[in-house]
Amino acid sequence: MNNLLKRITSVLLMMSIMLTSTISSFAQTETDNIVRKNIRYEVGSVEGLLESSNSNSVNRQATDRLKKLVYTYDENGMNYKVYGEANNDLTYANSKVYNIKAGKEILVRTETVVVKNNVVTTTINENGKTTVDKLDLNEDKIEESTNRLIQLNGTWSGYPVSNTFVEWGTFKKTKAITGTTSMSVSAVINAIVKFSNIDKRAKIAVTATSVIVNYIVQMNAKKTYYNEVVSFRWTEIPNAAVQQKAVERTNRTFYTDSNRATVVQIVTTTSYAQDYKN
């Protein structure tokens, strides 16, 4: 009887180990498709792209001057070189990927990302085929509760605003990442982390965002998984039944896979209504 119990316990333990290994392997394959090694930037940086996009300088030419990015990497024993450019707002990004063979650069893929009205369009040309993917962030708009049906743009000038953020809700998100280059991924992640439910004057933590971009590029991830915690500061207009959103704060926690067991980075975005003044 004791021997039988020992054999049953041994079998159950082995099954448990096999199941755990399978789950772990599945979680890793969601992001660890083809790891890129030896990524070296010759011109520009991801941080530089994001810093430019985060600038609110009135004098900067947001769409006239393109920022350059050139880097190399190894993948599956082969060497590649990427030439990219993007505007300062990261609403346009274009990349060309070359395979380096015998000292020659052979074009193998082009990627173009356009962000307009919270819709991210990624166009890829590879092996004679063109694919177009659209990511509509407007689907993430928060529906108003019944006691805040009327919302105007910005705050009423001169009226006070609460100093305290009130949590609105927590949301779980998964977004497809079609592009593979640093330019493409920077444009997509920048659009995601800057998305807000009020005016687009959004500020982000550049360093934290670049960690996410670099992770996705290195791991060649096809999806990004994140949770959002959205909070607002509201106007405090005397005798007003309806107040307005003045400041929005969104904390986004990015994960390595759908299990959301391992955190890549946390990005905090702060957005201000059109007429908000400190």
Side-chain angles (χ1 to χ4, degrees), residues 94 110-114 121-125 130-133 178 184:
N94 183 61
T110 64
E111 300 180 0
T112 301
V113 178
V114 176
T121 303
T122 303
T123 304
I124 295 175
N125 290 284
T130 299
T131 59
V132 179
D133 176 76
T178 308
S184 297

Side-chain angles (χ1 to χ4, degrees), residues 155-156 158-164 232-237 243-247 275-277:
T155 63
W156 290 358
Y159 285 101
V161 174
S162 170
N163 290 323
T164 304
F232 293 105
R233 286 168 54 194
W234 298 84
T235 57
E236 295 181 332
I237 304 171
Q243 302 293 337
Q244 300 179 70
K245 299 170 183 173
V247 185
D275 299 325
Y276 174 81
K277 295 181 180 179

Side-chain angles (χ1 to χ4, degrees), residues 3 22 24 27-28 70 74 133 141 152 185 204 222 229 247:
N3 290 334
T22 302
S24 176
Q28 291 175 1
V70 179
D74 298 326
D133 176 76
K141 280 284 186 182
L152 305 176
V185 176
I204 61 173
K222 303 306 180 186
V229 179
V247 185

Side-chain angles (χ1 to χ4, degrees), residues 162-229:
S162 170
N163 290 323
T164 304
F165 280 100
V166 178
E167 184 176 321
W168 181 277
T170 302
F171 309 91
K172 183 180 290 187
K173 305 289 178 65
T174 300
K175 302 296 183 187
I177 303 294
T178 308
T180 64
T181 67
S182 294
M183 283 293 196
S184 297
V185 176
S186 293
V188 174
I189 295 299
N190 184 70
I192 290 174
V193 299
K194 280 195 170 182
F195 177 81
S196 66
N197 295 275
I198 55 178
D199 190 78
K200 297 305 175 191
R201 291 188 294 130
K203 295 181 178 181
I204 61 173
V206 170
T207 302
T209 309
S210 68
V211 170
I212 298 164
V213 173
N214 288 327
Y215 172 82
I216 291 173
V217 172
Q218 180 182 0
M219 303 305 291
N220 198 19
K222 303 306 180 186
K223 292 182 179 180
T224 184
Y225 307 92
Y226 59 97
N227 292 351
E228 292 181 343
V229 179

Side-chain angles (χ1 to χ4, degrees), residues 55-114:
S55 172
N56 289 320
S57 173
V58 176
N59 296 323
R60 72 182 179 90
Q61 296 178 334
T63 57
D64 293 341
R65 192 179 70 175
L66 296 175
K67 300 184 74 68
K68 305 293 183 180
L69 195 66
V70 179
Y71 66 97
T72 59
Y73 64 90
D74 298 326
E75 181 180 299
N76 276 351
M78 304 187 74
N79 186 240
Y80 294 88
K81 190 167 188 176
V82 180
Y83 296 87
E85 60 183 16
N87 62 3
N88 282 337
D89 281 342
L90 275 180
T91 55
Y92 167 81
N94 183 61
S95 306
K96 294 182 179 180
V97 183
Y98 293 85
N99 182 204
I100 302 176
K101 292 183 178 180
K104 295 183 179 180
E105 297 179 0
I106 303 172
L107 181 64
V108 294
R109 180 182 176 99
T110 64
E111 300 180 0
T112 301
V113 178
V114 176

